[in-house]
Amino acid sequence: MDPSSCPFCHLEVPSSELEWHANSHFEVEDEDEQLARDLEFAQQLALAPSSPPSSSSMNSQAISDLPISRCDAQISMEEKVSSLIALQTRTTFYEIEHGLMALLRDCLESERGNTTSIVSGYIDHFQSIPSEDVGWGCGWRNIQMLSSHLLMQRHKAREVLFGGSGFVPDIPSLQRWLEIAWEKGFDELGSDHFANNIYGSKKWIGTTECAALFRSFGLRARIVDFGPKELESFYPLLPGSSLGKEVKRIHNGGKRKAIQVCGPMDRYLLARNHDVSQASSSGDEKSGCSSIPLGGDSLGSISNENLGNKFTRNSKGHQVLIDWIWNYFSDKKFTKSGNCQVVVSDKTPLYFQHDGHSRTVVGIQVKHQHNGIQQHNLLILDPGHRTADLERSLKQKVGWQKFIKRGVHTLKKPQYQLCYIDTGIANREEVELLKTIESVFLEF
């Protein structure tokens, strides 16, 4: 049997044992177990018939489930990242002909009435698949949606994301990238919550895992929290939470340290329902709109100030969330499309987290009524929806609103979190700061 060279330790091992040996570099075991395993290999090699050396490399398909969570001084971070880049798998998904956002823009432009919609430029829809991730994978699907936008719309992000592969990885590959982020020191408290291990699990993730993953590539992922005053006693549990006053702090090893974002938002909420399925969100959050006047500038006179720090809380209830999203998408650069009812923003979509589910906000619509009242709809992609059904409704322009539109009155959760990606790539010094994840809090 021809031996093959291990790409990590360069030991010549029988080809039939190569996959097992390579995986052993990443498994969590104690030193005695590793020594015993090395001894067993040495004995196998001693008994194996001699043959000429071979330069064959690992088959990436054969070890597509290679875990990389082990912290081993013998395996450098560079080697782990290099291995993951080579072995990660491109995700498969239902591609919509002519592009999802092009179909959505066409539908929005065909609507009657005095409306203005602001949308992201490009994004693919990734649905949860019953045989793979229904009930737990919505967070990963939203990360895939944001990734599809970044890879298409931002050249610099494309160069750094997933080792410059240029494609959106599947969920197991994303899980390995998150473990790499944790091992690099991003969101240590979140890593501790998951025991530094997420690969192969069905554990729910949230906004902070999304932020940690993107930050590990040098992207400036930011988090914004929204919640009511009545839950103020819970805010100290929320990372970086403050009402524009003093940041809550905790004592840690004799040092004062700002609270960090740690793990999915779900575990901080008063009411938790672990049986909520991904598709259940459409029950209370059907298409609709609010009748509360928009607080802030109108389209064309949007302030370019930092929204996280300069937002004025002059509206009530969940309208604060709607106003923030309107200002976010209408800020800075945008281009008008078609008959000018639709504006294309250069902003990334938003990872939209609430108790039990997460979705992706791709835009917002306002309808101007004769009485001066403005009605708003969030434009949302839900991983719980089938992409083929979404495509059919958009092409036929029938029933697409129930898939996409969500009004203020549907926002019934007590707390929400958003994650967005600022422009640019962080330098080395800033990357170190990005390892501590904090959030801006806005009161409902």
Side-chain angles (χ1 to χ4, degrees):
M1 181 181 299
D2 292 339
S4 299
S5 176
C6 173
F8 304 114
C9 66
H10 307 293
L11 181 67
E12 294 290 335
V13 299
S15 298
S16 62
E17 303 291 346
L18 179 58
E19 178 182 345
W20 180 75
H21 173 76
N23 283 339
S24 71
H25 284 293
F26 300 99
E27 293 174 353
V28 179
E29 359 177 67
D30 61 34
E31 198 170 321
D32 290 339
E33 290 175 334
Q34 182 62 47
L35 290 173
R37 178 165 292 198
D38 291 342
L39 177 60
E40 180 183 351
F41 262 111
Q43 293 171 340
Q44 291 177 358
L45 289 172
L47 297 174
S50 59
S51 56
S54 170
S55 60
S56 61
S57 61
M58 290 186 301
N59 185 310
S60 60
Q61 214 169 14
I63 57 169
S64 59
D65 61 344
L66 178 67
I68 59 168
S69 59
R70 181 180 177 186
C71 297
D72 191 330
Q74 295 179 346
I75 308 299
S76 69
M77 176 59 65
E78 289 75 15
E79 288 176 309
K80 292 186 178 183
V81 170
S82 177
S83 173
L84 180 51
I85 291 172
L87 300 175
Q88 64 183 334
T89 303
R90 180 195 297 264
T91 191
T92 57
F93 69 102
Y94 184 102
E95 295 190 54
I96 294 181
E97 186 180 4
H98 306 308
L100 170 67
M101 295 306 291
L103 292 179
L104 176 57
R105 290 195 298 269
D106 191 37
C107 286
L108 292 169
E109 288 170 355
S110 68
E111 287 190 301
R112 296 180 180 179
N114 184 14
T115 64
T116 301
S117 301
I118 311 176
V119 298
S120 293
Y122 180 91
I123 192 171
D124 290 314
H125 180 261
F126 291 83
Q127 71 176 55
S128 290
I129 301 174
S131 61
E132 294 183 11
D133 66 294
V134 163
W136 61 271
C138 58
W140 299 109
R141 297 302 183 184
N142 291 310
I143 288 174
Q144 289 178 330
M145 291 193 211
L146 265 65
S147 298
S148 71
H149 172 88
L150 292 166
L151 291 172
M152 179 64 69
Q153 298 287 114
R154 295 191 183 179
H155 176 71
K156 290 183 178 179
R158 184 182 179 90
E159 290 179 346
V160 298
L161 270 177
F162 315 121
S165 65
F167 61 75
V168 179
D170 62 4
I171 291 178
S173 298
L174 290 176
Q175 290 177 325
R176 294 179 296 201
W177 279 117
L178 180 55
E179 289 181 345
I180 285 289
W182 287 338
E183 191 171 338
K184 288 181 177 179
F186 290 87
D187 189 21
E188 290 182 355
L189 294 181
S191 175
D192 291 343
H193 172 78
F194 289 100
N196 312 311
N197 182 19
I198 195 71
Y199 173 79
S201 78
K202 296 182 180 180
K203 296 176 182 176
W204 291 1
I205 64 165
T207 315
T208 51
E209 284 69 50
C210 173
L213 180 65
F214 285 119
R215 285 183 175 209
S216 69
F217 296 108
L219 300 182
R220 299 180 174 114
R222 316 290 190 194
I223 293 178
V224 185
D225 282 299
F226 299 84
K229 179 74 172 177
E230 305 85 81
L231 296 181
E232 184 175 4
S233 61
F234 282 77
Y235 296 154
L237 296 177
L238 290 171
S241 297
S242 69
L243 300 179
K245 302 176 183 178
E246 179 184 1
V247 176
K248 275 66 172 189
R249 296 181 181 274
I250 58 175
H251 188 270
N252 182 21
K255 299 179 180 179
R256 303 296 291 178
K257 182 178 181 182
I259 290 179
Q260 296 172 298
V261 174
C262 166
M265 182 181 183
D266 305 305
R267 66 177 177 274
Y268 298 118
L269 301 179
L270 283 175
R272 295 184 60 186
N273 182 0
H274 293 278
D275 298 323
V276 176
S277 66
Q278 291 182 343
S280 67
S281 64
S282 61
D284 287 340
E285 304 199 19
K286 296 178 181 177
S287 175
C289 19
S290 79
S291 58
I292 302 175
L294 172 68
D297 298 324
S298 59
L299 182 64
S301 60
I302 299 298
S303 169
N304 288 336
E305 297 290 339
N306 184 309
L307 298 177
N309 297 327
K310 301 295 184 180
F311 185 85
T312 56
R313 294 183 288 276
N314 58 356
S315 53
K316 297 179 181 179
H318 291 69
Q319 186 67 24
V320 172
L321 172 63
I322 294 290
D323 290 352
W324 190 95
I325 292 176
W326 174 269
N327 289 333
Y328 169 79
F329 279 110
S330 59
D331 184 39
K332 298 182 180 179
K333 298 178 182 178
F334 53 79
T335 57
K336 293 185 176 181
S337 171
N339 59 10
C340 299
Q341 286 185 206
V342 179
V343 174
V344 180
S345 171
D346 69 343
K347 293 300 190 71
T348 62
L350 299 167
Y351 184 114
F352 184 42
Q353 176 78 40
H354 58 78
D355 183 21
H357 193 44
S358 62
R359 294 168 290 169
T360 298
V361 179
V362 297
I364 186 169
Q365 181 188 65
V366 59
K367 183 176 183 180
H368 311 276
Q369 299 190 12
H370 296 298
N371 59 4
I373 298 298
Q374 296 175 316
Q375 298 177 327
H376 297 87
N377 282 305
L378 297 181
L379 305 176
I380 288 178
L381 296 182
D382 192 329
H385 293 150
R386 293 182 67 249
T387 310
D389 294 340
L390 178 60
E391 178 189 37
R392 186 182 309 110
S393 68
L394 289 171
K395 285 186 174 180
Q396 296 176 356
K397 296 182 180 177
V398 176
W400 61 272
Q401 294 91 341
K402 71 178 181 180
F403 287 102
I404 300 291
K405 291 188 178 183
R406 296 292 181 269
V408 175
H409 75 277
T410 69
L411 302 175
K412 298 181 179 180
K413 300 295 183 179
Q415 293 171 265
Y416 290 88
Q417 277 186 331
L418 296 174
C419 179
Y420 64 97
I421 315 295
D422 262 343
T423 57
I425 305 297
N427 58 31
R428 182 173 299 180
E429 292 75 16
E430 186 182 352
V431 166
E432 288 301 311
L433 297 176
L434 289 175
K435 290 181 178 181
T436 299
I437 304 178
E438 296 179 346
S439 69
V440 172
F441 171 76
L442 296 178
E443 178 189 341
F444 277 158

